Amino acid sequence: MDLSVSSSSLVPFSLSLHSNAPKLLRLSRTSTTFFRKPPSISRQNKLAIITAIQVSTQSENDDFVLEDVPHLTNFLPDLPSYPNPLNKRQAYSIVKKNFVSPEDVVAQNVVIQKESPRGVHFRRAGPREKVYFEPEKVRACIVTCGGLCPGINTVIREIVCGLNNMYGVQDILGIEGGYKGFYSKNTLMLTPKVVNDIHKRGGTFLRTSRGGHDTHKIVDNIQDRGINQVYIIGGDGTQRGASLIYEEMSMERSHSLIHLVLFYNHLFMKEVKKRGLKVAVAGIPKTIDNDIAVIDKSFGFDTAVEEAQRAINAAHVEVESVENGVGIVKLMGRYSGFIAMYATQASRDVDCCLIPESPFYLEGRGGLFEFIEQRLKENGHLVIVVAEGAGQEYVAAEGHASDKKDASGNKLLLDVGPWLSDKIKDHFTVFRKMAVNMKYIDPTYMIRAIPSNASDNIYCTLLAQGAVHGAMAGYTGFTIGPVNSKHAYIPIARVTERQKTVKLSDRMWARLLASTNQPDFVASEQES
Ligand SMILES: Nc1ncnc2c1ncn2[C@@H]1O[C@H](COP(=O)(O)OP(=O)(O)O)[C@@H](O)[C@H]1O
Ligand SMILES: O=P(O)(O)OC[C@H]1O[C@](O)(COP(=O)(O)O)[C@@H](O)[C@@H]1O
Ligand SMILES: [Mg+2]
């Protein structure tokens, strides 16, 4: 590909500086060098070149991809910018490199082979030289949605303190009770003083809810209240909602919808224009299940794994002290068994870990019953950790099936814990004539209702500050999160397109199998 185009020939593209978002920029290895090198070309033209390359080379075998996030100037090209007030902050004045370069990107794959493509990259998070908001004109709001998770209060606190202390923003509203809170008249005024101590408490200071997302009503409300920065803390469902809010705010041509309207039996085509508002929408991913794609790990996860140790330890102490003790600890994890897997690995007292991703079976050769009997013979006791989403098909098959959903549309799970305890008890007493001492512990809500630990607190601070920097810099429709330990701005749609699950072919699951020595139910089933 020839990249020796003169910068002047690219001027017509310069208006599309931030256009076509979320955009996919594909650059070949030569173009990457070009991307970094010529200092004589202005930033605007450099980005114009990138846009030009995007237009001309998407179908080629390119190897550098920037999955960029939208910017307010995509649909408001004349938006003025201002020098970042952090320049004047004492704390930042001693930082060697105050601002993140617009060319800094974070690689999604850090382990690559010499000849392999460079792959997908995201924009690095952090403060930018120019901001698109004057602090005294910012009216921000924060909302928390979905289930609880340790650290939500720390994120709220650090958004408020970050906006206030770093940028001098004074007008920050707390929307209470999740998305529904947008329809209510009342909001909370959030100041550093109001949120000073909240990180020491579990839960969410702003309260939360499931269901009730109405994009139009929410955006109407944001518009009516004169809010221009929206910080949305929540899981995959919340981020989907955030994406719809962003789309309604923006005015991308690709987002204009043609609606078919049936009116007195005539079909009309109606183009629905989006609003083109100067409102930055920032998502902060929250989930105890750690099932959000792209990011390394969600906040509060480490705290939850640590808290799960207490339950596992209790189960172990109990079963160790009795004859034929069988401990079962049920942990959260709807579709992803990360908490169960990490809690098992951390504990070393767990004999078997059951997760939704790895089907298991009870009877026959290589089954769970055989394994339990063997461990009882060897050690006199055992501990099983079961993720709530595991074995759902078995519980359902026994006539407990239900299609019930929560208010957000998430399938309500059947309770695998008591089902598994009963099955084990029945099998050993009735069929094996062997009394087992069953100790069943369900700490599911306990592990997510606690305050975050020290490392999660730091993580929450980085997320909150990164979100504030991104919104102040005019980015919108993004989710912030660590990618290979570097915080990045990720297009919201990218984190909601699929749920992250435990990959059975990854080394982490193999490590677990190697440490518990539990049956690999798949292999055993095939052998028998
Ligand atoms: N596909 C979706 N589109 C719009 N809003 C959604 C969607 N899925 C969930 N939401 C909203 O996001 C909020 C939280 O979703 P939920 O699935 O309960 O939790 P989480 O965000 O933790 O996954 C709810 O208010 C729900 O209505
Ligand atoms: O009982 P609740 O509050 O609806 O939540 C239960 C569910 O919430 C979770 O903790 C996480 O769900 P979200 O991340 O979607 O909020 C699941 O592990 C669990 O199944
Ligand atoms: Mg969810």
Side-chain angles (χ1 to χ4, degrees):
M1 180 174 53
D2 179 21
L3 286 165
S4 55
V5 271
S6 77
S7 59
S8 60
S9 69
L10 291 156
V11 168
F13 287 98
S14 63
L15 269 180
S16 53
L17 180 63
H18 291 288
S19 70
N20 298 328
K23 62 191 168 211
L24 205 65
L25 304 181
R26 294 172 183 275
L27 307 176
S28 74
R29 198 163 276 154
T30 23
S31 64
T32 311
T33 321
F34 188 74
F35 181 40
R36 292 203 197 104
K37 276 277 160 126
S40 54
I41 303 174
S42 71
R43 176 175 171 253
Q44 223 185 19
N45 275 339
K46 243 189 274 178
L47 283 162
I49 290 164
I50 296 164
T51 310
I53 293 164
Q54 175 197 7
V55 171
S56 62
T57 68
Q58 278 211 341
S59 59
E60 290 175 24
N61 186 20
D62 304 323
D63 68 2
F64 180 99
V65 179
L66 172 61
E67 284 197 17
D68 206 357
V69 288
H71 193 272
L72 290 172
T73 51
N74 288 1
F75 48 92
L76 300 168
D78 300 326
L79 216 56
S81 65
Y82 313 91
N84 192 323
L86 277 179
N87 258 331
K88 297 192 195 117
R89 297 272 156 198
Q90 205 194 349
Y92 272 79
S93 61
I94 51 166
V95 179
K96 221 172 173 187
K97 202 173 163 226
N98 258 353
F99 300 110
V100 169
S101 153
E103 287 152 28
D104 279 1
V105 291
V106 177
Q108 185 171 27
N109 295 330
V110 282
V111 180
I112 53 169
Q113 279 143 14
K114 216 165 142 197
E115 299 305 324
S116 64
R118 295 188 54 197
V120 169
H121 296 71
F122 300 106
R123 224 170 245 289
R124 185 179 173 193
R128 301 309 206 249
E129 212 159 349
K130 296 245 171 293
V131 293
Y132 284 79
F133 289 93
E134 292 165 282
E136 59 282 6
K137 293 193 182 153
V138 171
R139 170 165 265 214
C141 78
I142 308 174
V143 65
T144 59
C145 314
L148 291 183
C149 166
I152 300 179
N153 280 336
T154 314
V155 175
I156 298 172
R157 184 189 190 278
E158 296 310 319
I159 293 173
V160 175
C161 294
L163 278 167
N164 192 279
N165 300 339
M166 296 191 299
Y167 288 97
V169 172
Q170 309 266 344
D171 197 358
I172 310 163
L173 304 177
I175 306 295
E176 290 187 281
Y179 279 130
K180 286 177 195 157
F182 278 106
Y183 325 135
S184 115
K185 277 201 186 113
N186 302 328
T187 52
L188 269 180
M189 250 336 258
L190 298 176
T191 63
K193 205 169 166 194
V194 169
V195 297
N196 189 38
D197 273 344
I198 64 171
H199 62 295
K200 294 176 187 161
R201 281 178 256 156
T204 159
F205 178 67
L206 295 174
R207 295 185 294 112
T208 184
S209 66
R210 297 195 190 270
H213 177 102
D214 182 328
T215 312
H216 287 268
K217 268 169 86 178
I218 292 170
V219 177
D220 283 349
N221 193 279
I222 289 169
Q223 217 173 342
D224 291 348
R225 289 184 202 271
I227 291 166
N228 50 20
Q229 290 187 5
V230 185
Y231 296 91
I232 302 176
I233 306 168
D236 57 336
T238 308
Q239 301 301 317
R240 276 188 204 104
S243 184
L244 295 175
I245 294 173
Y246 153 70
E247 282 173 25
E248 181 65 26
M249 303 275 192
S250 66
M251 209 172 50
E252 308 276 338
R253 214 174 318 137
S254 57
H255 287 139
S256 299
L257 297 175
I258 304 289
H259 275 200
L260 289 175
V261 184
L262 192 63
F263 189 68
Y264 286 107
N265 286 338
H266 290 279
L267 208 53
F268 291 93
M269 277 183 51
K270 180 182 157 209
E271 196 179 2
V272 179
K273 281 270 176 233
K274 300 299 176 182
R275 307 191 194 189
L277 303 176
K278 186 193 172 185
V279 180
V281 179
I284 296 109
K286 166 251 41 140
T287 163
I288 195 75
D289 293 352
N290 192 34
D291 58 0
I292 296 196
V294 185
I295 64 169
D296 295 344
K297 190 165 52 175
S298 48
F299 72 81
F301 178 73
D302 279 351
T303 307
V305 168
E306 214 168 282
E307 187 65 8
Q309 301 303 296
R310 300 205 312 140
I312 295 172
N313 197 36
H316 187 242
V317 168
E318 287 285 344
V319 296
E320 234 188 357
S321 312
V322 294
E323 201 183 338
N324 286 340
V326 177
I328 297 184
V329 178
K330 189 183 81 175
L331 296 174
M332 281 193 169
R334 241 192 221 128
Y335 306 111
S336 310
F338 287 105
I339 301 177
M341 177 170 79
Y342 278 82
T344 297
Q345 277 292 61
S347 153
R348 320 273 155 176
D349 282 336
V350 179
D351 294 83
C352 186
C353 173
L354 304 172
I355 59 171
E357 296 88 336
S358 173
F360 64 93
Y361 58 95
L362 300 176
E363 305 190 13
R365 223 181 109 212
L368 187 64
F369 292 154
E370 185 191 73
F371 175 73
I372 295 174
E373 193 165 336
Q374 187 194 327
R375 280 285 151 106
L376 288 179
K377 275 190 191 136
E378 283 166 11
N379 303 335
H381 66 270
L382 93 155
V383 174
I384 299 169
V385 162
V386 59
E388 61 178 344
Q392 286 296 305
E393 65 283 13
Y394 295 131
V395 195
E398 298 204 350
H400 306 289
S402 109
D403 285 335
K404 284 197 189 136
K405 295 195 169 155
D406 69 15
S408 295
N410 300 306
K411 197 169 175 296
L412 284 176
L413 295 180
L414 302 166
D415 201 344
V416 67
W419 174 84
L420 188 59
S421 318
D422 289 346
K423 282 278 158 196
I424 295 172
K425 273 190 284 186
D426 286 354
H427 174 79
F428 284 97
T429 40
V430 178
F431 300 107
R432 306 295 298 161
K433 307 288 178 229
M434 204 177 139
V436 289
N437 236 313
M438 176 64 64
K439 308 289 177 198
Y440 173 57
I441 301 182
D442 182 345
T444 44
Y445 288 103
M446 285 174 63
I447 67 163
R448 68 172 207 188
I450 55 171
S452 44
N453 67 15
S455 75
D456 269 326
N457 267 338
I458 293 168
Y459 175 15
C460 291
T461 307
L462 295 189
L463 286 173
Q465 292 193 358
V468 167
H469 292 312
M472 288 300 294
Y475 291 114
T476 181
F478 69 86
T479 298
I480 176 140
V483 179
N484 295 310
S485 303
K486 289 279 172 208
H487 282 238
Y489 298 134
I490 307 156
I492 298 186
R494 191 66 162 73
V495 295
T496 56
E497 67 193 0
R498 65 177 180 87
Q499 239 163 356
K500 188 166 75 178
T501 52
V502 172
K503 282 207 180 69
L504 301 183
S505 52
D506 270 4
R507 265 195 215 103
M508 202 59 196
W509 185 245
R511 282 186 197 111
L512 180 138
L513 294 181
S515 85
T516 57
N517 253 320
Q518 69 188 65
D520 165 358
F521 295 100
V522 181
S524 313
E525 198 169 27
Q526 281 163 357
E527 276 165 29
S528 57

